[in-house]
Amino acid sequence: MDLITLQSVSFTYPDGTRALTDVDISIRAGERVAVLGANGAGKSTLFQLFNGLLQPAHGTVRVKGRAVEKAHLKEVRRMIGMVFQDPDDQLFSSTVRQEIAYGLINLGLNGEHVEQATAWALKVTGLEGYENKSPFNLSGGEKKRVALASVLAMQPEMLVLDEPASSLDPLGAARIIDLLNSINSGLGITLVFATHDVDAVPLLADRVYVIDKGEIKLSGPTAEVFAQKDLLRAHNLRLPRVAHLAELLEREGACRFPSPPLTIGQARKALLEQMARKEAGK
Ligand SMILES: Nc1ncnc2c1ncn2[C@@H]1O[C@H](COP(=O)(O)OP(=O)(O)OP(=O)(O)O)[C@@H](O)[C@H]1O
Ligand SMILES: [Mg+2]
């Protein structure tokens, strides 16, 4: 089932900036989808169209087959949890606990349920001990995790994350990747995220859309998109570093890869197989 469908969507900001042109996107339940694009490509604009924060000038945005309109925005926003690029656009409560509980109370949940869901969200985002701090006194990475916790606590059907790992330290970023994968596989929550971190994409996406100057230029399963090296580079993106190393080794005739490895795990497996073959042929 398609959760979100965009058909020929165009969007222009009031100052005349054309941010999206003729965008077609469809996201099925349970998928993990990355949106890749350079600064200013239109990723954040696209995400704000998903839940009606912005309305398209042309084309339609449908959630579960129904056009996103004012009358059912509440329902749409309950279904689609949005984590903004800048946590300061999202946080407003005086303590971390209140920030996370706010959405749950708004949904009309009872005290015990609110407490349980808040405790769970604090735990999985590594924020235990921060309950009584003001979100505004936290570091950038900590704020990012509070914003994610407040959305996760509501267990939406789909999480839309604008740069989920930006401003997180390496361990924090790795934890977020693990957490997102586990809520996708364990709870069936659909993931759509924008990122500049191409190295993280193969770890977190089944499918990729490449956007440049407001247009979708390339889309498909992650491995197929990263196989289009020249096209990616033409849109100011790069390969994951492991894939770049594999490309250099292959060009120098040192190794051959049946398909370009995108992660350290894939590269390790391919290299060990080659070494074993060489060893056997000695
Ligand atoms: N409120 C606004 N008013 C006018 N133009 C805007 C507004 N917000 C964004 N834009 C413009 O729309 C285009 C797309 O911006 P958007 O924020 O969607 O890009 P992005 O892909 O999210 O970039 P980044 O990677 O830097 O976050 C840019 O040219 C930007 O300057
Ligand atoms: Mg953005």
Side-chain angles (χ1 to χ4, degrees):
M1 180 193 42
D2 277 354
L3 275 190
I4 291 201
T5 322
L6 270 67
Q7 263 179 330
S8 312
V9 164
S10 298
F11 180 84
T12 304
Y13 281 104
D15 71 354
T17 307
R18 177 74 166 241
L20 296 172
T21 305
D22 255 341
V23 167
D24 289 316
I25 280 184
S26 63
I27 291 158
R28 291 182 294 280
E31 278 196 300
R32 302 175 304 158
V33 177
V35 179
L36 273 179
N39 288 136
K43 304 177 297 295
S44 297
T45 307
L46 176 70
F47 285 1
Q48 290 174 69
L49 284 154
F50 284 176
N51 72 351
L53 283 170
L54 298 175
Q55 307 286 336
H58 299 284
T60 50
V61 179
R62 290 179 202 280
V63 171
K64 285 190 173 169
R66 194 159 70 159
V68 175
E69 278 160 7
K70 268 207 178 111
H72 48 265
L73 273 188
K74 205 171 164 192
E75 207 179 309
V76 166
R77 288 181 188 164
R78 180 172 178 182
M79 229 184 76
I80 302 174
M82 177 90 79
V83 181
F84 288 81
Q85 183 163 8
D86 181 355
D88 287 325
D89 289 342
Q90 192 149 355
L91 305 173
F92 60 91
S93 300
S94 49
T95 67
V96 168
R97 188 197 305 280
Q98 283 169 12
E99 187 69 54
I100 299 173
Y102 176 84
L104 298 161
I105 293 167
N106 238 6
L107 293 178
L109 298 173
N110 67 34
E112 196 185 335
H113 192 135
V114 171
E115 223 163 274
Q116 274 175 9
T118 305
W120 173 78
L122 283 163
K123 184 162 186 282
V124 296
T125 52
L127 286 167
E128 280 169 319
Y130 289 78
E131 293 84 340
N132 299 318
K133 285 199 78 158
S134 161
F136 302 103
N137 294 337
L138 299 177
S139 75
E142 291 163 348
K143 282 183 185 175
K144 198 96 190 173
R145 281 188 282 147
V146 175
L148 174 61
S150 67
V151 174
L152 259 189
M154 292 191 281
Q155 298 212 351
E157 281 183 54
M158 174 170 171
L159 261 181
V160 178
L161 307 126
D162 203 347
E163 304 279 353
S166 69
S167 74
L168 296 187
D169 60 33
L171 184 61
R175 279 194 182 139
I176 291 295
I177 291 174
D178 284 348
L179 170 62
L180 294 175
N181 277 329
S182 74
I183 61 165
N184 172 262
S185 60
L187 303 173
I189 295 178
T190 308
L191 298 179
V192 184
F193 64 100
T195 188
H196 295 288
D197 182 2
V198 278
D199 294 306
V201 171
L203 301 170
L204 194 54
D206 308 306
R207 214 151 61 77
V208 176
Y209 285 98
V210 171
I211 183 168
D212 192 7
K213 298 183 189 72
E215 292 179 32
I216 302 291
K217 298 291 187 181
L218 191 58
S219 68
T222 305
E224 286 177 23
V225 166
F226 281 121
Q228 314 240 22
K229 301 171 198 168
D230 295 339
L231 212 49
L232 280 173
R233 287 174 177 139
H235 297 300
N236 299 316
L237 296 169
R238 66 164 175 84
L239 292 179
R241 292 206 192 282
V242 169
H244 188 202
L245 173 63
E247 188 187 27
L248 293 175
L249 288 172
E250 212 160 31
R251 199 179 298 155
E252 287 159 9
C255 299
R256 290 214 34 86
F257 296 96
S259 57
L262 301 177
T263 63
I264 288 178
Q266 289 171 6
R268 177 177 175 273
K269 187 164 175 272
L271 287 169
L272 285 174
E273 280 169 8
Q274 281 190 35
M275 284 158 71
R277 269 200 304 275
K278 268 193 191 153
E279 200 62 32
K282 260 186 190 167

